Amino acid sequence: MESSFEGLERQRAKRRRVARMKKFIVTTVLVFMLLTITVMGFLLFEVFSLQRQLDNLANQVYVTTDVENESEMVDDSILDDVYQVDNVDNIAEEGDIPMVYLTFDDGPSSNTDQILDILDDYNVKATFFVCGKDLELYGEQYKRIVDEGHTIGMHSYSHNFGEIYASEDAFAQDYNKIHNLILETTGVDTKYYRFPGGSSNKVSTTSMSTFINYLNNQGVVYYDWNVASGDATSSAFTTEQLIDNVMKDVVKYKTSVVLLHDASNKNATVEALPGLIESLQEQGAMILPITDETTVIQHVNVVQ
């Protein structure tokens, strides 16, 4: 028969096995919970990181150029095919002389002088929708635009979508900064404005009508465009393609407001400009700066 001592040892061994099993189960559960919390924390971090990146993409429009180590504010593919224009009364008819308005956004830049030189060579006047830049670097370019008979308009001070379109107050502050910069630098009390991204942009979380009403109250007219060269996008168009993009649409309208960009990374635009001017002149187009008599071209917002 089994002694009481042996029975007691078996019970103790059984309790030890049960205790080890409990410890293993508890440890496993704790490890699983720790791993789950770690993975969830990592995933949450990634989600917030991705959100910050998306916010930066939406809000930031600064591109730093390695060659000149300067920040140029440029629109990107946000301008692609997001707009329509009411062209019912602007369709070209036989015998019409095309009225073409070359407009340059985002300057002044390191390319501004070259653009102005080319315009001067062809005795052509254009419109520059400018942003706020360092006056020590670009003060003379603001002045030269005006002194050489071109139209100067506002394209916001910061060109930061997230800041400008945050509220009416934020828009007004930015508007006053660019308006005052132009007035104090050139003496021109400009009444022309182009919205960053256009009035049909899908970035602003505030209704664009809020900002349009603000401009109306300031007696300011905003101009969009009905012809895009394609230089706003990240696609690498050749000079010939940029010219073709303009010419295929210019022939459709009585009044064409052409979107071009004045930025240090838009060398193709500069290279295309002589050929574009010559092509327009061959078509018999009148190339003019925007004035109070210019037909207003504005986008029709479309629900996406």
Side-chain angles (χ1 to χ4, degrees), residues 117-169:
D117 288 343
I118 294 169
L119 295 173
D120 183 61
D121 288 342
Y122 287 90
N123 194 28
V124 165
K125 306 302 179 185
T127 302
F128 290 79
F129 288 104
V130 299
C131 297
K133 300 291 181 72
D134 186 341
L135 290 180
E136 289 189 7
L137 291 174
Y138 297 114
E140 291 305 312
Q141 280 69 33
Y142 288 112
K143 295 176 184 177
R144 186 180 170 193
I145 288 169
V146 172
D147 291 345
E148 296 189 4
H150 304 285
T151 296
I152 193 167
M154 298 168 279
H155 192 44
S156 82
Y157 187 89
S158 70
H159 205 293
N160 185 308
F161 292 90
E163 292 179 4
I164 298 166
Y165 296 140
S167 66
E168 182 175 356
D169 286 343

Side-chain angles (χ1 to χ4, degrees), residues 42-107:
F42 175 76
L43 291 175
L44 284 172
F45 175 80
E46 288 296 307
V47 168
F48 286 124
S49 178
L50 287 172
Q51 185 61 53
R52 284 196 299 271
Q53 292 179 44
L54 288 173
D55 290 341
N56 287 336
L57 286 173
N59 295 339
Q60 300 300 323
V61 289
Y62 292 88
V63 175
T64 301
T65 61
D66 294 331
V67 176
E68 299 165 355
N69 193 29
E70 65 182 35
S71 292
E72 295 297 348
M73 294 165 280
V74 298
D75 291 314
D76 202 0
S77 56
I78 190 173
L79 303 179
D80 272 355
D81 302 324
V82 296
Y83 66 91
Q84 290 184 5
V85 182
D86 184 0
N87 285 306
V88 173
D89 298 322
N90 193 34
I91 301 301
E93 300 175 356
E94 187 175 354
D96 284 340
I97 297 175
M99 312 286 280
V100 178
Y101 298 82
L102 301 180
T103 66
F104 295 88
D105 287 6
D106 298 344

